Amino acid sequence: MFDILTAIFHDDPLQYGTTCCLREPQTTAERQVKGRLDGLDRADAEELESRIEALAREQGERAFRSGARFGAQMMAQLLEELS
């Protein structure tokens, strides 16, 4: 937990992992994207897949940070009301 808070404080990349994996799709959206990628030639599909996974990581980190900030603000408000 301390590592995650330190990364958030210093705006470093988070190392908690992103669940998006187009090589072994788990969700409906991942299967749909994988189906489209399979229709492309190999070089284009690999480049697009890496860009999609980078975007998913970026969005995942942004969502995590937003949730962590919201949680911290809510906790601060609750503690302020208790004081």
Side-chain angles (χ1 to χ4, degrees):
M1 182 63 154
F2 181 74
D3 293 340
I4 291 173
L5 294 175
T6 302
I8 291 170
F9 180 77
H10 294 288
D11 202 28
D12 292 335
L14 299 173
Q15 300 299 321
Y16 63 91
T18 302
T19 59
C20 176
C21 181
L22 296 175
R23 290 178 191 88
E24 296 178 20
Q26 302 294 315
T27 66
T28 301
E30 288 174 347
R31 285 190 288 277
Q32 290 173 344
V33 170
K34 178 68 173 166
R36 296 291 182 147
L37 289 173
D38 289 343
L40 300 174
D41 67 81
R42 186 166 177 83
D44 288 341
E46 287 177 355
E47 180 181 347
L48 189 55
E49 182 178 337
S50 67
R51 290 180 185 210
I52 289 170
E53 288 181 348
L55 179 61
R57 264 191 312 279
E58 179 183 311
Q59 294 297 321
E61 289 178 6
R62 187 174 296 141
F64 179 84
R65 289 175 194 270
S66 175
R69 286 185 189 114
F70 174 76
Q73 290 170 346
M74 186 171 63
M75 183 62 75
Q77 185 176 355
L78 288 171
L79 290 173
E80 184 177 296
E81 291 176 8
L82 291 174
S83 298

